Amino acid sequence: MRASSGIAVRPGGDADLRSLFTDDARLLRFARLAAAFLAPVTLVLAFAACGFGPDPRHNWLGDVVGSDLSQVWVAGARALAGRAAESYELAVHLANLAAAFGPECRFAWHYPPVFLIPAAGLAALSPQVAILAWMTLSLAVFTAATFVATGRRDAVLIALAHPLVFCNLTYGQNGLITAGLLTLGATLVDRRPWLAGLCFGLVAYKPQLAAFAPVVLLLTGRREALAACLGTALALCLASVALFGLDPWRSFLTTLSETDRLLLRDAAAGLDINFSAFGTMRLFGGGMSAAWAFQAGVTGATFALAWRVWSRCADTHLRAATLLACVPMASLYLPIYDLAPLIPATILLAIAAHRAGGLRGYERGLMILAPLTAAFRPLVNETGIPFGFLFAAATLLCVAARALPAMPPRKVSTVAHPA
C-alpha cells in the first residue's frame, strides 16, 4: 500500500528487523548502510570535537586535549629535554602533567622505554598537532591492516564504524595501532614471515599484548617470523638506550612493583576498567590469589587453542581471527580500548563463515551486539557485570567453534603385519 505522500509503506517492519537474525545478506546490507553513516560521523566527531579546541590544552568538550595521549606528549617532552627517566617518578610525572595540561590531568606512566621513541616524536609537535597526527596514524595503520587482511572495502568501512574505533581516537590511545600490527602479523605470517615478525615485534611498547604472538610462533615452529619478532623488539630496546640512556630502563624495572600495586592490587583506575579475567575476578570480589589463578587458567587455555588452530587449521582467516581473539583474553590488564583486536577478529570470522556457507545463529548475534561495546563501561558501573570480558570471551568461543571443526583429522598410520 502507499501513504498519501507517495512514499511506499512496507508492512511487516518488525519482520524485516527480525530477518537480521536469520538472513546474512540482509545483515550485510544493513551493516554497510549503517557504516556508511557511522564511519564518517565517527571520524568527524573524533577529529573536530575531541582533537582540538579554542584552548590549546583542552578540546571543545572541555577535556584535556588528547586525553590519555597527553601523558605520552609530556613523557616525550621530558625525553627530548634529556630527562627521560622522570616519567617513571610518579610525583614528578604528575607535576609535569599539571604544568603542561592542568591539575586535572593525572596519569601514571607505565610504558617501557621503547614507547619514548614515538613519544619524543609527538613531543616535537604542539599538543593539538600531536593528537591529530596520532589519530591519523592510528587510522592509517588500522585501515591498511584491515584491508590487507580482508581485501574488502566494505569490511574496512564496517570496521571504522565500530565504537571501539571512536573510543581509541577520543582517548588518544594506541589500541588501533596495536590491532593493526597484530592483524598484519597474523595475516602475513606464512606469506611474508619476516614482515609478519616485524609487525609483531613493533608491539613491544605494550608487553601485556606483545608477549602472546612470539610464544605461538615458537610453539608452531615459525622460526623466521619468530626471529624477526624478537630481533625487532631487541632493536627497539637498543634504540631507546642509544637515544635516552639506561636510566629509563632502570627506572622502568624499579617501578614494576608500583605498577602492580596501582593497576592490579589497588585497581587505582577502577575495577570497572579492567576487562581481563584477572579484573573480572576482582570485580566479583575475589582476592588476588583467585584472580591470578583465574587469569592463569584463561591464559593457558588461549595458548592451547592458538597452538592447536595455528598448527592444523588451513583457513588463514580463522587462524588470524584466533590469534586476535586470544591476545586480549591472555592479557592481565585489559582496558576497553585494548579490545580493538576483536574488531578484525569478528570481521575475519564473518568472512570465513560466508565462505563456509553462512553465519551460525550465535555468530550473527555476536555481530549484531558488537555496537554495544560503546556502553560497556557505564553498564559495568550500573550492573557490576563484566560486559567487556564476556564480549571478549564470546568472540573467542565463536572463533574457536568454527576454527576447531575446520581442522582436518590427524592421519593414523597403520603398520602392515605379516600374516
Side-chain angles (χ1 to χ4, degrees), residues 355-407:
R355 290 180 176 176
L359 290 165
R360 297 163 181 163
Y362 52 83
E363 293 171 336
R364 199 175 293 109
L366 177 71
M367 312 293 169
I368 293 171
L369 294 175
L372 291 180
T373 52
F376 277 173
R377 192 168 181 189
L379 283 173
V380 175
N381 278 326
E382 292 297 324
T383 66
I385 299 174
F387 287 100
F389 174 78
L390 294 177
F391 179 69
T395 303
L396 180 57
L397 289 174
C398 286
V399 172
R402 186 165 288 276
L404 293 178
M407 299 186 303

Side-chain angles (χ1 to χ4, degrees), residues 20 23 35 43 139 235 245 251 255 335 396 412:
L20 295 178
D23 189 328
L43 300 184
L139 285 171
S251 299
T255 57
L396 180 57
V412 180

Side-chain angles (χ1 to χ4, degrees), residues 1 6 45 56 169 171 204 253 295 331 350 364 384 402 406:
M1 81 186 196
L45 286 177
L169 293 177
Y171 281 3
L253 296 174
Q295 182 66 63
S331 175
R364 199 175 293 109
R402 186 165 288 276

